[in-house]
Amino acid sequence: MDLEQARKTIEDGGIIIFPTETAYGIAADARNPEAVEKVYKAKERPRSKGLTTIVSSLEQAEKYGKLTEDEREVIAEFMPGPLTLVTRKKEGLAENINEDFVFRISSGDTARELAEEFPITATSANISGENTSYAVEDISEELLAEVDGVIEAGELEDGPTSSIVEIVDGEVKTYRQGPIKSDEIEKVIR
């Protein structure tokens, strides 16, 4: 599947598998609750575990999240890149995606291009509890049967998935440690 076909599929409410800078992910229109529901079903993911989002730019992040000055500084320093930020959500995203706006600007070209028009889901392309997928061959047949297409990019470098952090009153709260360490983030907001 090429980028244009993938964009059209997502726009029409479908879900696809795509490469990011960290692993393969599942993309759906993050504004479309039916498409988001397809991602939960395909991954067999509990609804209590929300989904993350990829946006293409700071401007797009501002449209969907209530960003603070600290968060803007962190975005300027570490995005695009393997950092996911948790902030308060504005209107416009599917209600079932997450209680908060949990997003990143991917440094992967395909991911950013897919998110150019609207935010997409960014959850890993695996059944919940299974290993992260760094090649399409790693993805279970069960999951592949649930998606509407795949953007193949060969084997990705096996590395850690993105760091997930929230900045609360000038303090960094880490939910998942990844390539960007909390102390690096703290230096930016101090």
Side-chain angles (χ1 to χ4, degrees):
M1 167 175 267
D2 69 24
L3 199 59
E4 280 311 307
Q5 291 170 311
R7 256 199 213 115
K8 178 90 175 90
T9 300
I10 295 167
E11 207 169 351
D12 291 343
I15 64 174
I16 64 130
I17 290 174
F18 70 107
T20 73
E21 77 276 26
T22 55
Y24 277 88
I26 304 175
D29 181 345
R31 305 166 306 168
N32 180 334
E34 290 82 15
V36 168
E37 190 57 37
K38 288 179 187 178
V39 176
Y40 281 113
K41 182 179 175 287
K43 280 185 68 77
E44 299 174 17
R45 185 178 180 92
R47 302 311 180 273
S48 59
K49 288 184 165 189
L51 300 175
T52 59
T53 304
I54 287 178
V55 295
S56 61
S57 63
L58 172 60
E59 293 73 30
Q60 199 178 65
E62 294 271 14
K63 184 176 179 181
Y64 297 98
K66 299 174 182 176
L67 302 181
T68 65
E69 197 49 49
D70 281 347
E71 291 166 338
R72 285 185 196 92
E73 287 176 19
V74 168
I75 291 166
E77 183 69 26
F78 298 108
M79 294 189 197
L83 177 68
T84 298
L85 197 56
V86 178
T87 192
R88 290 172 301 142
K89 185 167 66 170
K90 287 183 182 175
E91 294 295 311
L93 291 176
E95 283 298 314
N96 58 340
I97 197 159
N98 211 317
E99 189 177 310
D100 296 304
F101 182 38
V102 183
F103 74 97
R104 67 192 178 99
I105 302 170
S106 176
S107 58
D109 292 340
T110 301
R112 243 187 1 270
E113 288 171 21
L114 282 174
E116 262 174 23
E117 302 297 317
F118 49 81
I120 59 172
T121 58
T123 187
S124 57
N126 58 322
I127 302 293
S128 281
E130 290 184 356
N131 291 332
T132 302
S133 301
Y134 298 99
V136 172
E137 298 77 47
D138 298 338
I139 301 168
S140 71
E141 290 299 322
E142 186 183 359
L143 178 58
L144 289 169
E146 295 289 327
V147 301
D148 300 301
V150 177
I151 297 178
E152 169 69 63
E155 190 160 343
L156 305 177
E157 193 174 313
D158 185 339
T161 51
S162 69
S163 302
I164 302 176
V165 302
E166 182 176 13
I167 300 164
V168 182
D169 300 324
E171 298 296 319
V172 178
K173 185 175 180 180
T174 302
Y175 295 103
R176 181 174 72 197
Q177 190 62 69
I180 299 170
K181 308 297 180 225
S182 301
D183 59 340
E184 295 175 73
I185 298 167
E186 285 166 2
K187 286 177 191 165
V188 172
I189 61 174
R190 298 256 181 260

